[in-house]
Amino acid sequence: MQSAEIVTDDTLRELKQHGSLGYPFSYYLDDISASINGLIDWHWHREIEIVLVQRGEVDCLVGESRTALRIGDGAFINSGV
């Protein structure tokens, strides 16, 4: 299980590369409750992000949009957001 720590540059772009340039895909199983304060810091990246809630509830804030995600709910976050 991954921790939800995100390392960013001064524009809040996440520095971790997900996959490769030829195949920009990675899969992670994150336990957000194990991160500091149960939060993932603001960040963006060039890859899209798909979130699926398997346990608990997630308060998802993307740009100006806030959504409560429950078990079985998911979210699509576009590149650069």
Side-chain angles (χ1 to χ4, degrees):
M1 187 128 346
Q2 301 249 94
S3 73
E5 180 183 2
I6 306 292
V7 178
T8 63
D9 66 13
D10 60 343
T11 70
L12 298 181
R13 181 181 62 86
E14 183 178 13
L15 297 177
K16 180 178 182 173
Q17 181 176 339
H18 300 280
S20 66
L21 292 176
Y23 191 72
F25 175 83
S26 293
Y27 171 82
Y28 306 101
L29 181 59
D30 290 324
D31 184 354
I32 297 171
S33 66
S35 65
I36 298 172
N37 297 324
L39 301 172
I40 296 177
D41 289 333
W42 279 101
H43 70 283
W44 66 274
H45 33 77
R46 293 183 180 105
E47 303 85 6
I48 64 168
E49 186 166 353
I50 299 171
V51 176
L52 173 66
V53 178
Q54 293 184 315
R55 178 172 48 104
E57 186 173 304
V58 174
D59 186 27
C60 188
L61 181 59
V62 179
E64 299 292 320
S65 178
R66 181 183 298 267
T67 304
L69 302 176
R70 294 175 177 78
I71 296 173
D73 289 343
F76 173 90
I77 304 169
N78 208 353
S79 173
V81 177

